[in-house]
Amino acid sequence: TLLSAALAAVVAIVIGMPTGLIAGYYPGWFDSSSNWLTGLVMSLPSIVVLLAARAALGPSVWISMSIFGVLLSPSFYRLVRTSVQGVRGELYVDAARVGGLSDTRIIGRHVLFVVRAPIIIQAAMVGGIAISMQSGLEFLGLGDPRVPAWGVMLSDAFRNIYLAPLLLIWPGVAISATIAALAITANALRDALEDRGTDEKRSRTT
């Protein structure tokens, strides 16, 4: 379950973050076409797409979560694009451009530094959604029953609910605790990075 959620989050970040950086920093035809494509992907019902993928490609959790990561990538795209649009006109970006830095270095050193905190929070949210979706598919019997997962445990426990009802508790607790831990860890990491960035700015000023 954790590996499949990580796969979905990585796929979403790899697709959404670079396209969001480019679309936010370079307004024009790429921005317009990316917005159109993003709206198209967001209009697709995730569960229907995953059911169709399972029917066509088989009950592979890795394929399903890769496709789910593609469906989640617009959330990263829009978040990064909006954040980049908010900072591309700042004075320090203009100063870096006037100083002769290339656009690649400006994006990597200045723009990406600003958007990393919301990306971390969004990654935790996407990981939680992926865990819930993967567990739901496994619970419905749409995954590979040979692969151990919390959704499979929930499905087995539900079939034996009258014999051992307590079996439903532990996978549910594990799923809930993991999603909560992702959110708490992401918030702590964001705060640590922001504090570090503030200290670096103060040291440079001093």
Side-chain angles (χ1 to χ4, degrees):
T1 301
L2 295 177
L3 290 175
S4 61
L7 174 62
V10 168
V11 171
I13 292 173
V14 168
I15 296 175
M17 188 176 71
T19 54
L21 286 171
I22 297 173
Y25 195 79
Y26 298 106
W29 67 268
F30 183 82
D31 187 17
S32 302
S33 58
S34 298
N35 283 328
W36 179 84
L37 184 60
T38 299
L40 177 64
V41 173
M42 293 182 70
S43 67
L44 298 175
S46 300
I47 187 67
V48 175
V49 173
L50 293 177
L51 290 175
R54 182 194 182 276
L57 303 175
S60 174
V61 65
W62 312 115
I63 295 177
S64 298
M65 288 297 101
S66 297
I67 296 174
F68 191 54
V70 175
L71 297 176
L72 290 174
S73 60
S75 62
F76 283 97
Y77 166 80
R78 294 201 166 186
L79 174 67
V80 174
R81 174 179 172 270
T82 303
S83 300
V84 173
Q85 287 178 338
V87 301
R88 71 184 179 193
E90 294 291 336
L91 293 177
Y92 65 89
V93 176
D94 293 336
R97 192 180 295 113
V98 172
L101 292 180
S102 63
D103 290 342
T104 303
R105 294 192 64 184
I106 293 174
I107 293 174
R109 293 187 58 184
H110 299 285
V111 178
L112 189 59
F113 179 83
V114 175
V115 303
R116 63 179 182 176
I119 288 176
I120 292 172
I121 301 298
Q122 187 70 16
M125 294 176 59
V126 167
I129 294 171
I131 290 174
S132 302
M133 178 62 74
Q134 194 267 345
S135 299
L137 292 174
E138 298 285 352
F139 177 77
L140 295 175
L142 301 177
D144 189 351
R146 298 169 297 178
V147 179
W150 285 328
V152 175
M153 295 172 65
L154 283 173
S155 181
D156 292 339
F158 187 76
R159 286 195 294 267
N160 298 282
I161 189 171
Y162 295 109
L163 299 177
L166 291 178
L167 291 178
L168 281 171
I169 296 177
W170 313 120
V173 169
I175 293 172
S176 302
T178 302
I179 295 175
L182 283 174
I184 294 172
T185 304
N187 279 281
L189 183 57
R190 179 200 59 185
D191 294 340
L193 290 175
E194 289 182 349
D195 293 340
R196 181 181 176 184
T198 303
D199 293 339
E200 289 178 354
K201 290 182 179 179
R202 288 177 179 174
S203 62
R204 290 176 182 175
T205 304
T206 304

